[in-house]
Amino acid sequence: MTLSFGRPFLAIPGPSVMPDRVLAVMHRPGPNIYEGELVEMMPDLIEGLRGVARTRHDVAIYIANGHGVWEAALANVLSEGDKVLSLCTGRFGHGWNEIAEALGIEVQVEEFGMRAPVDPDRVEAALRADKDHKIRAVLMTHVDTSTSILNDVAAVRAAIDAVQHPALIMADCIASMGCDRFEMDAWGVDVALAASQKGLMVPPGVGFVFFNDKAIAARARLGRVSRYWDWTDRANPEVFYQYFAGTAPTHHLYGLKEALTMIHEEGGMEAVWNRHAHLARAVWAAFETWSQDGPLELNVANPAHRSCAVTSIRIGAPHGTMLRRWTEEKTGVTLGIGLGMDSEEDPNADGFFRLGHMGHLNAPMVMGALSSIQSGLIALDIPHGDGALDAAARVIAEA
Ligand SMILES: *Cc1c(COP(=O)(O)O)cnc(C)c1O
């Protein structure tokens, strides 16, 4: 039998759960794209996005997923033959490198593996060795969604400044924005990337590139920029269609406006970050308890280096895939695959799974996902420590 009838729960690290309120505002006839409500709501929407990224600088909005804004960001500050230093802590760091290489950019990879965060000392050493300042930008993922590693962006900024290197710092915040604390201006980030379908609670299809004055100066150096990716008019349009270099993503904008209203109603970013941090601690308490016996293990050992948006778990092949299939079929909870964790011994990454805990999420959703995992561990006879749900409930009780 199955106990999955009822509301399904997509507990993967993006696309995340879409609030009914977001879906409801999108259920409407198409608006006029030349004047009226849609055009008039843009300044508030931009202001709301600035608040989420903690910046007073510009933002360009693209009808694109994360891969799109990866390319958009690079295309505005780099051209063929330029060099970047890329700090990799998982699959997504390498994904951005692939986009850069396809644009003819030379990528120097600093690899930190799948279980440890970026080490700022190594960044400093790599930049110190770049005596003639060939490296034009440092690319990093704030949270790599494959490994669930949280990187210290401000510490990388400090490493760049320590050697007085002129490179831009460009941060992929696609998984983290709206979940893990991120302060673009205070941390000295030049370019930050986000997408609609993770912490921002909107369906996939819209991406954001935030950029400061130093990034604008880098843009000015380029002889030629793709007309479509160029952020100049998008961020400061004279007429509405320039925001999107064509027709606006009308319904996504209504959804985004509602999501930003929800963030505001919750009490702004501090409240949203606190909720994520608290729920993440409940998730970790459960996984740490399960890991006391049997094969289950958190991918990131040190809580200080764990994201509040997603948790990557090692459980040994084939337990990861079996557990995912069990929770989906029997309880209606869909867990994330072990993305980028494949190896020769485990070519399909069957020994991994991920739990997304980003965006529109509250205590019963987290407890529901955790109790489904608990049931799966029991049903599949996977050895595990006792008391995980109690441990999570105790963290919830501290709220
Ligand atoms: C999801 C994600 C991406 C890719 O986004 P797509 O919308 O799937 O193209 C890139 N980077 C990070 C950190 C992500 O979490």
Side-chain angles (χ1 to χ4, degrees):
M1 87 170 279
T2 172
L3 300 171
S4 65
F5 286 86
R7 176 170 274 230
F9 180 8
L10 187 64
I12 66 175
S16 62
V17 172
M18 294 173 282
D20 288 347
R21 280 176 62 177
V22 167
L23 293 172
V25 297
M26 296 178 76
H27 192 86
R28 52 167 293 157
N32 186 347
I33 58 163
Y34 299 105
E35 57 188 15
E37 188 187 29
L38 185 72
V39 177
E40 286 156 19
M41 76 190 205
M42 286 308 290
D44 277 353
L45 199 106
I46 299 285
E47 211 36 52
L49 287 170
R50 284 196 181 110
V52 171
R54 287 286 169 98
T55 183
R56 60 179 179 80
H57 292 290
D58 283 334
V59 57
I61 310 176
Y62 296 89
I63 302 177
N65 60 15
H67 284 66
V69 291
W70 267 343
E71 179 149 336
L74 297 170
N76 274 282
V77 292
L78 299 157
S79 56
E80 195 167 351
D82 284 345
K83 184 173 175 182
V84 297
L85 178 68
S86 177
L87 316 178
C88 291
T89 54
R91 176 65 206 126
F92 286 91
H94 292 283
W96 200 2
N97 294 349
E98 286 157 15
I99 302 265
E101 278 159 4
L103 290 170
I105 294 163
E106 186 190 337
V107 180
Q108 179 181 329
V109 177
E110 229 15 71
E111 178 63 64
F112 298 90
M114 305 298 262
R115 305 197 73 170
V118 166
D119 172 0
D121 290 343
R122 275 179 54 195
V123 180
E124 192 177 318
L127 291 174
R128 202 182 294 283
D130 180 41
K131 292 213 169 22
D132 42 5
H133 294 170
K134 283 251 161 47
I135 293 168
R136 291 201 176 268
V138 175
L139 313 186
M140 70 182 296
T141 37
H142 183 209
V143 166
D144 198 300
T145 325
S146 61
T147 55
S148 68
I149 294 168
L150 171 75
N151 287 306
D152 187 342
V153 179
V156 172
R157 170 85 263 167
I160 298 172
D161 292 347
V163 291
Q164 293 182 314
H165 197 291
L168 298 174
I169 177 166
M170 304 175 72
D172 172 351
C173 302
I174 294 169
S176 56
M177 199 165 287
C179 307
D180 286 285
R181 173 177 294 277
F182 177 76
E183 313 241 12
M184 176 165 165
D185 292 356
W187 294 357
V189 175
D190 300 306
V191 180
L193 282 53
S196 55
Q197 79 272 24
K198 301 201 179 173
L200 293 174
M201 307 178 284
V202 174
V206 180
F208 312 95
V209 178
F210 300 87
F211 55 98
N212 68 9
D213 298 342
K214 206 174 144 196
I216 292 172
R219 159 72 187 81
R221 174 187 69 86
L222 301 186
R224 189 168 58 172
V225 172
S226 144
R227 185 75 191 88
Y228 187 75
W229 289 136
D230 196 350
W231 62 31
T232 312
D233 291 347
R234 286 174 181 266
N236 291 290
E238 274 170 23
V239 281
F240 178 74
Y241 79 83
Q242 290 179 325
Y243 275 116
F244 305 101
T247 304
T250 51
H251 287 61
H252 276 75
L253 295 178
Y254 282 107
L256 179 62
K257 178 169 174 260
E258 189 67 13
L260 292 169
T261 300
M262 290 174 69
I263 288 171
H264 178 73
E265 286 173 4
E266 185 172 347
M269 293 317 295
E270 294 292 342
V272 170
W273 289 329
N274 283 338
R275 171 171 51 86
H276 278 85
H278 203 104
L279 294 175
R281 282 201 288 116
V283 167
W284 303 337
F287 282 119
E288 280 163 4
T289 308
W290 282 320
S291 72
Q292 282 163 13
D293 189 17
L296 190 147
E297 189 188 354
L298 283 125
N299 184 54
V300 184
N302 183 344
H305 302 148
R306 293 178 192 156
S307 165
C308 294
V310 51
T311 298
S312 297
I313 295 297
R314 300 172 167 255
I315 192 167
H319 297 319
T321 299
M322 282 167 62
L323 188 68
R324 280 193 300 104
R325 297 218 193 293
W326 193 92
T327 61
E328 183 165 57
E329 191 191 320
K330 299 293 186 182
T331 72
V333 172
T334 304
L335 300 169
I337 61 167
L339 193 73
M341 293 297 199
D342 48 293
S343 62
E344 241 168 74
E345 311 85 74
D346 184 8
N348 299 312
D350 290 320
F352 300 85
F353 71 92
R354 292 173 301 158
L355 176 63
H357 33 99
M358 49 175 54
H360 189 54
L361 197 81
N362 60 17
M365 292 164 81
V366 165
M367 291 306 291
L370 294 174
S371 71
S372 293
I373 293 169
Q374 171 80 69
S375 299
L377 294 170
I378 294 168
L380 297 169
D381 256 337
I382 301 170
H384 56 274
D386 279 336
L389 296 180
D390 272 1
R394 269 194 291 276
V395 175
I396 302 283
E398 289 161 15

